[in-house]
């Protein structure tokens, strides 16, 4: 019933509004229709009033009335269309100076008609006088051309050749008077006949009562005991709130009110229950009271409940005197700390809330708390004394634990088959809502079977449950509580994708377009206050947007199901289930289309009245086939008010785009070179045109200025500055940019003068072409009170002779005093305008930007009291900023937050400002001011002068006097650079000092710094440095100070010392008496000489886990004492093992007792000679997992005993696999079988694959430049578990290919020794022999898993044989293929286009490949890289750029 009343109310209102238009009303009253228009309008107004009353109060179900309302809705719909069509042709007459739609009123009414014409001229801006576009419609019908209504003479659609600048006017629709008159007469009579019976029934149908009363009956009472055994997912918030209450920020307050706010079913009551019953909370409060408020906020009743709870009574107190109740409550809690919970609060007034809290404020103790749970942010905002706790959905892991608890009734989950994955999929759809988890968990519990769970998943069964504690029931209560106008607005969110970011302007004009509201009434904010929307800030700009609460999107679909259809899942979409009453349709499908989609769309055409759809919204671009389906389905649309569409060709537009005469809101997008349809200029009713997603041609139709109803044009500046005769768009609210172009008609400043409603921001460019003051005054900027921002830009031109004219022109461009932002760029006059540099009257100006002006004197900024941002850039004549006598006071710049001084080469100083004038300054940016000496806001003032300063940047201002930096503890970012000195402080905890010394650095303002880098500093105050107790990481590079006191940095965890020769000025003998480092140190990196001689100085570092020493003479003495060390890197430290060199040629020159490394080591990296040869020194490293050795003569003897070793890298060691003579016949496998990753590069001592035969656990194997390696003893089983295999030779080793030999062995072994192909796991393969891979045995073995295939350094391959092409087709899982440095390869494989999963193709350094045709690629390809190939191939690749929006072409690897 409610839906029927709402639909009828909206449409009847639309008809009444159209009849209120004088010329439309006059036509309906004309003699040729013979209607009693006065009576019709009177009855419609009465019906409208009764409908609005019924909508407000609610009406009980009445089947007869419901049927009549549906008939009334249909006829009102038809009447609206007919009258709207008439209005369209009336506008067209006014634009063209014709009289086709002028009503025949008879002699007595001609004066009225003339009055009507005068009125409409006023609305469209005296179009008869200023519109010169001639009609192409032939006057072949007497009396103004009568015939059938609205038939296009020659409908024009978008084509790639349809230039917006073509000669001749755009052909228009023809008005057929007889057909129009008959249509209006018929539908108005039918509509009128329904008004009386509907009005009578509305008068006698009883109301069902207010919405609030109905909701109140359905609200269950709540108590303080939770039925939920565990509080899931709120641990951090819960513990933090508990701490705040018992010992934190609330503990010292007399009374704190803390709201917990969130949508229905999110867990507010459960959270409050757990807090209320927590043991620490119970002990903290002497009195605890729980009150369920619900929708009945009655101060007397609530006070009775509070007093009863305090007294411990089981029944409410019966005292009816509020005064007595308040006195009693105040007495009871006077000396006791109390907690009162008001749960589920739906409404309250300011006065009522104050009355309720009055006795609670009398408490004499500290720490009293009131906790309020509510769905409504507006209530939370009203009652709070501290920021609210906003509850959102549970995080995915916690929610799944919660979900499982309800599925398995708090028992251990027991899944069968794939039930666990089904449960995970269902859980994702529930958006973390606890109530949804309960509802669906119980539903799944009924039957633990795959069939039942799949039914729940596929049919969203929880949405259809009508039990009182279901999720949709709970959310529906919030919806029912909304006022009727907000209910209607909320319903249409169903048409948008989930998680859509709504902008207020766009959604408001959407509602206006479909006729449910007439103007912006701030409904989005009202929906925020009611808890349906959340307002968020965009990360990339200052704009705000709105997001629908999770699961409320599902609710919007439910409540709008009779009017709105959102096709969001091609598999679940069934046309038979779609109601015939659908008027608004959207397609938001993200997944691939199901095969049945075509059939269902064909059915939809017979189910829904496509021609009369009011909204059609297609949110993304689809493939060509689906595009054809959509085009065919919607080819007959005519009644659209809203159209969203993404086009990929001219044919993507609806077939008769020019006939969409009712369109109010049009959103077009494209990624292709498509031109906008020239017939766009015929959409006279269009109020909002959104081209923000249009990336095709920027050319607008020539007659865009005919869109006289257009209020908002959402598009980039390229579109805005391209509207000829823009002054005809009288309703336009914002024009981002206007270019003066005297060589083109319609681009003079007088066009701006006609835009009286202009607001937002406007930038006027090419002002150098304006030569006179009178011409500038035609812009009428001073009268534009809604304009918030103005930019005035001059280019370089000799068109103006002398600076006097420039000053006059700028004087004439005076804006309205309410202007908030002003920018003047490139003005060549010697002085500024009088309205800015003389008698200033811009008290609301907040932003001022002056750039490239030639003024000698700057404006008196002190007379701009609201100024928050000041930018001065590229001004070469100004040498000082000096304020007039008596002008600047200590209140002059109190609002200023941002100052930018950029490229002011002659500026020396800013003087004449009191010291405390910049108290609110937040950001200072000063660059390229070589002569600048002093600034009033960069002095050493008293504490408190920089309380708001957060960002400071100063570059290339060598003479500028600065206090020690950073000079304020509030700074979050500070960057100062001059000459070679640089200081950076960022994110509040990172500090970088380069070339600064003591006296220039103020470390006492860095109490919270956690990371610090000091470079090229000769002296720094170690006393101040050691006070940085929060410092966790310190990097010291090329500094000449010592580390005295470093041990006082108790939080230091990471220390890097690079080429600091005297940083550790202590001998090794002092190791037992001096503690250089804090015990907290976990990572130490030393590179270059630092004064440290041995590891003995690290003896107190019991927490050290990682140690890197590079290029220094430190020895390993004492290293074994670092019991927690896990990672050690030693590079080019020749004296690290200082044992006698004469023992270097023996098998083991070190005694067995020498264990230089601690047994805790897990990672060891050795590079360069260290005086160590055999690995036997590692024998005690039973925990070692990773070993990396490079450029050293170490051997692998004894490595096989390290059973935990998982990763080994050997590069250019030469002797690594050489074995002692006595062990040559006993050690076959030098590496432990536990190994998972092995990389061998340039190791000449590796001669046989037999050395690796025991490594069957390998997952990653890399063999590079192993010139002596043979496949003798190769064990094919080492390849079974591989995920990645790389085998190639390069440089001097190209003569042979180990990959060819090994893959040949693998192909032979496949039939006898290897497990089935499906057992292989290889995902990445890199080889230097194409022919070795592209053979059927290998490709079939890898077909199911191979994801990445790379061919590197194959100098033998020239082309692909048929056998190789066939083998390539077997690799159906291949996603990435790379051809690199294959200099003789003449072409790419022909079968690339048949690889169904291929997404990325790289071609690098293959100079002989000549051809690159996109037809050779599969449709799945997303990225193509071509680099280092022939110029012809590079050019072919360049042409492929931009051919598809999802296809990326890269010509240089970045």
């Amino acid at each position: 019933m409610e839906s029927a009343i709402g639909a009828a109310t909206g449409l009847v209102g639309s008809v009444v509004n159209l009849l209120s238009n004088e010329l439309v009303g006059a036509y309906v009253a004309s003699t040729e229709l013979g209607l009693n228009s006065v009576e019709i309008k009177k009855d419609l107004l009465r019906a409208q009033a009764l409908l609005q009353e019924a909508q407000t109060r609610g009406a009980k179900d009445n089947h007869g009335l419901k049927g009549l309302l549906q008939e009334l809705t249909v006829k009102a719909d038809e009447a609206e269309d007919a009258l709207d069509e008439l209005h369209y042709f009336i506008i067209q007459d006014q634009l063209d100076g014709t009289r086709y739609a002028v009503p025949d009123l008879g002699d007595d009414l001609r004066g009225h008609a003339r009055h009507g014409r005068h009125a409409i001229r006023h609305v469209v801006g005296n179009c008869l006088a200023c519109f010169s576009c001639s009609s192409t419609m032939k006057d072949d019908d007497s009396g103004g051309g009568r015939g059938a209504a609205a038939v296009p003479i020659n409908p024009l659609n978008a084509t790639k050749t349809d230039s917006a600048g073509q000669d001749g006017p755009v052909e228009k629709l023809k008005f057929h008077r007889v057909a129009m008159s008959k249509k209006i007469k018929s539908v108005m009579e039918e509509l009128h006949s329904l008004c009386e019976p509907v009005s009578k029934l509305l008068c006698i149908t009883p109301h069902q009562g207010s919405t609030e009363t109905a909701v109140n009956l359905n609200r269950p009472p709540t108590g303080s005991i939770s039925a939920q055994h565990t509080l899931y997912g709120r641990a951090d918030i819960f513990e933090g709130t508990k701490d705040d209450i018992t010992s934190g920020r609330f503990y010292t307050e007399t009374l704190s009110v803390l709201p917990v706010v969130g949508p229905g079913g999110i867990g507010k009551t459960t959270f409050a229950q757990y807090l209320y019953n927590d043991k620490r909370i119970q002990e903290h409060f002497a009195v605890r009271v729980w009150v369920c408020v619900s929708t009945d906020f009655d101060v007397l009743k609530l006070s009775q409940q509070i007093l009863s709870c305090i007294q411990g009574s089981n029944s409410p107190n019966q005292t009816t005197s509020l005064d007595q109740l308040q006195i009693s409550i105040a007495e009871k809690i006077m000396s006791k700390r109390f907690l009162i919970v008001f749960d589920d609060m739906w409404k309250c007034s300011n006065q009522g809330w104050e009355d309720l809290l009055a006795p609670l404020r009398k408490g004499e103790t500290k720490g009293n708390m009131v906790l309020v749970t509510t769905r409504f942010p507006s209530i939370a905002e009203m009652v709070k004394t501290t920021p609210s706790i906003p509850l959102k959905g549970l995080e995915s892991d916690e929610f799944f634990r919660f979900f499982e608890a309800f599925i398995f009734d708090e028992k251990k989950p027991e899944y069968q088959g794939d039930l666990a994955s089904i449960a995970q999929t269902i859980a994702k759809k529930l958006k973390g809502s606890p109530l949804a988890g309960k509802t669906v968990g119980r539903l799944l519990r009924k039957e633990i079977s795959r069939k039942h769970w799949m039914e729940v998943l596929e049919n969203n069964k929880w949405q259809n449950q009508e039990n009182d504690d279901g999720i949709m029931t709970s959310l529906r209560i919030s919806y029912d509580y909304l006022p009727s106008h907000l209910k209607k607005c909320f319903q249409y969110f169903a048409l948008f994708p989930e998680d859509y970011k709504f902008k207020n302007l766009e959604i408001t004009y959407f509602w206006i377009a479909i006729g449910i509201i007439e103007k912006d009434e701030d409904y989005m904010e009202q929906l925020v206050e009611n808890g349906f929307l959340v307002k968020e800030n965009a990360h990339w700009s200052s704009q705000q947007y709105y997001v629908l609460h999770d699961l409320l999107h599902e609710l919007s679909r439910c409540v709008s199901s009779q009017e709105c259809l959102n096709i969001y899942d091609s598999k679940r979409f069934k046309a038979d289930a779609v109601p015939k009453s659908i008027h608004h349709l959207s397609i938001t499908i993200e997944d691939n289309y199901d095969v049945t989609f075509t059939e269902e769309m064909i059915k939809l055409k017979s189910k829904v009245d496509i021609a009369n759809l009011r909204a059609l919204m297609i949110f993304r671009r689809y493939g060509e086939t689906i595009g054809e389906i959509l085009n065919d389905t919607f080819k007959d649309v005519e009644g659209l008010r809203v159209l969203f569409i993404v086009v990929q060709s001219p044919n993507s537009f609806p077939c008769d785009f020019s006939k969409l005469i009712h369109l109010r809101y049009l959103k077009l997008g494209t990624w292709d070179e498509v031109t906008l349809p020239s017939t766009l200029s015929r959409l006279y009713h269009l109020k909002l045109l959104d081209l923000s997603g249009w990336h095709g041609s920027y050319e607008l139709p020539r007659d865009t200025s005919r869109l006289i109803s257009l209020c908002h044009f959402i598009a980039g500046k390229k579109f805005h500055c391209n509207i000829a005769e823009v002054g005809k768009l009288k309703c336009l609210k914002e024009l981002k940019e206007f270019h003066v172009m005297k060589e083109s008609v319609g681009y003079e400043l007088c066009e701006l003068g006609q835009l009286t409603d202009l607001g937002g921001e406007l930038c006027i460019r090419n002002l150098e072409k304006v030569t006179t003051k009178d011409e500038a005054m035609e812009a009428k900027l001073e009268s534009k009170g809604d304009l918030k921002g103005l930019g005035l830009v001059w280019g370089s031109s000799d068109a103006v002779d002398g600076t006097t004219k420039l000053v006059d022109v700028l004087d004439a461009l005076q804006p309205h005093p309410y202007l908030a932002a002003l920018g003047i760029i490139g003005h060549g006059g010697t002085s500024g305008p009088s309205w800015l540099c003389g008698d200033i009257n811009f008290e609301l100006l907040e932003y001022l930007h002056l750039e490239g002006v030639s003024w000698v004197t700057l404006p008196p900024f002190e007379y701009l009291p609201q100024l928050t941002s000041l930018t001065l850039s590229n001004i070469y004549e100004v040498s000082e900023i000096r304020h007039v006598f008596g002008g600047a006071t200590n209140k002059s710049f109190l609002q200023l937050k941002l100052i930018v001084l950029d490229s002011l080469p002659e500026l020396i100083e800013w003087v004449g400002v009191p010291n405390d004038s910049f108290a609110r300054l937040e950001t200072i940016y000063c660059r390229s001011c070589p002569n600048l000496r002093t600034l009033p806001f960069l002095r050493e003032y008293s504490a408190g002068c920089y309380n708001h300063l957060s960002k400071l940047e100063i570059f290339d201002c060598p003479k500028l006097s600065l206090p020690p930096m950073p000079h304020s503890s509030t700074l979050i970012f500070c960057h100062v650079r001059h000459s070679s000195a640089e200081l950076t402080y960022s994110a509040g905890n990172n500090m970088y000092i380069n070339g600064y010394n003591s006296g220039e650095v103020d470390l006492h303002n860095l109490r919270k710094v956690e990371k610090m880098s000091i470079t090229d500093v000769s002296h720094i105050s170690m006393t101040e440095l050691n006070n940085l107790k929060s410092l966790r990481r310190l990097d010291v590079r090329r500094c000449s100070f010592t580390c005295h006191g470093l041990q006082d940095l108790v939080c230091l965890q990471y220390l890097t010392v690079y080429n600091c020769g005297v940083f550790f000025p202590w001998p090794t003998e002092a190791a037992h008496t001096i503690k250089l480092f804090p015990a907290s140190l976990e990572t130490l990196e030393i590179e270059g000489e630092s004064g440290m001689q041995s590891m003995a100085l690290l003896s107190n570092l019991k927490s050290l886990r990682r140690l890197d020493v590079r290029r220094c003479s430190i020895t390993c003495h004492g290293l074994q004492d670092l019991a927690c060390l896990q990672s050690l890197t030693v590079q080019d430290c020749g004296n690290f093992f200082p044992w006698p060199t004469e023992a270097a040629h023996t098998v083991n020159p070190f005694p067995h007792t020498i264990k230089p490394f601690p047994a805790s080591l897990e990672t060891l990296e050795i590079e360069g000679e260290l005086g160590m040869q055999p690995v036997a020194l590692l024998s005690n490293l039973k925990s070692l997992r990773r070993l990396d050795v490079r450029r050293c003569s170490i051997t692998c003897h004894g490595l096989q005993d390290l059973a935990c070793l998982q990763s080994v890298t050997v590069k250019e060691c030469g002797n690594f696999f050489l074995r002692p003579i006595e062990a040559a016949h006993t050690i076959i496998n030098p590496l432990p079988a536990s190994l998972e990753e092995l990389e061998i590069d340039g190791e000449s001592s590796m001669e046989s694959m037999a050395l690796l035969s025991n490594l069957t656990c390998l997952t990653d194997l890399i063999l590079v430049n192993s010139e002596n390696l043979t496949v003798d003893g190769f064990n094919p089983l080492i390849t079974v578990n591989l995920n990645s295999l790389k085998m190639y030779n390069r440089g001097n080793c190209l003569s042979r290919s180990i990959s060819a030999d090994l893959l040949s062995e693998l192909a032979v072994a496949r039939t006898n020794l290897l497990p089935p192909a499906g057992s292989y796991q290889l995902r990445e393969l890199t080889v230097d022999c194409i022919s070795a891979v592209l053979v059927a045995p290998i490709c079939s073995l890898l077909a199911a898993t191979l994801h990445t295939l790379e061919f590197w350094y194959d100098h033998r391959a020239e082309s692909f044989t048929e056998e190789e092409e066939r083998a390539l087709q077997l690799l159906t899982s291949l996603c990435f293929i790379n051809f690199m440095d294959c200099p003789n390869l003449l072409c790419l494989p022909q079968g690339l286009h048949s690889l169904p999963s291929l997404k990325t193709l790289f071609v690098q350094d293959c100079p002989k490949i000549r051809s690159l045709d996109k037809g050779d690629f599969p449709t799945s390809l997303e990225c193509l890289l071509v680099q280092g190939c022939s110029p012809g191939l590079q050019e072919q690749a360049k042409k492929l750029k931009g051919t598809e929006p999802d296809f990326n072409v890269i010509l240089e690897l970045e």
Side-chain angles (χ1 to χ4, degrees), residues 1114-1117 1134-1141 1150 1170-1171:
I1114 194 170
T1115 68
C1116 68
H1117 290 303
N1135 197 39
F1136 195 74
F1137 295 106
W1139 281 278
T1141 54
F1150 308 118
L1170 309 180

Side-chain angles (χ1 to χ4, degrees), residues 4 6-16 18 44 47 51 68-84 186-192 194-195 583 614 641:
T9 304
L11 286 167
V12 169
S14 296
V15 173
V16 170
L18 282 164
L44 281 170
L51 284 166
L68 279 174
L69 286 172
Q70 289 172 345
E71 287 186 46
L72 181 69
T73 300
V74 171
K75 291 306 171 185
D77 198 359
E78 294 176 9
E80 185 197 13
D81 276 355
L83 295 175
D84 198 54
S186 173
V187 73
M188 292 305 295
E189 286 175 341
E190 291 176 344
L191 179 62
H192 189 208
L194 289 166
C195 285
H583 273 77
R614 288 299 190 258
R641 269 65 173 170

Side-chain angles (χ1 to χ4, degrees), residues 13-69:
S14 296
V15 173
V16 170
N17 287 340
L18 282 164
L19 287 173
S20 298
N21 178 281
E22 289 203 50
L23 286 185
V24 173
Y27 194 98
V28 174
S30 64
T31 56
E32 61 187 298
L33 266 67
L35 294 171
N36 188 343
S37 62
V38 175
E39 188 69 22
I40 290 174
K41 188 171 181 181
K42 183 181 74 173
D43 289 347
L44 281 170
L45 285 169
R46 181 169 181 267
Q48 182 187 26
L50 290 170
L51 284 166
Q52 288 173 343
E53 181 67 16
Q55 193 175 32
T56 302
R57 293 189 177 184
K60 291 186 177 180
D61 283 343
N62 182 318
H63 294 297
L65 176 58
K66 190 173 183 179
L68 279 174
L69 286 172

Side-chain angles (χ1 to χ4, degrees), residues 999-1012:
E1000 298 175 293
V1001 180
D1002 189 351
L1003 296 181
H1004 85 273
N1005 282 323
L1006 302 175
R1007 299 302 182 193
K1008 295 182 180 180
V1009 72
E1010 295 181 3
K1011 299 177 183 178
M1012 178 177 285

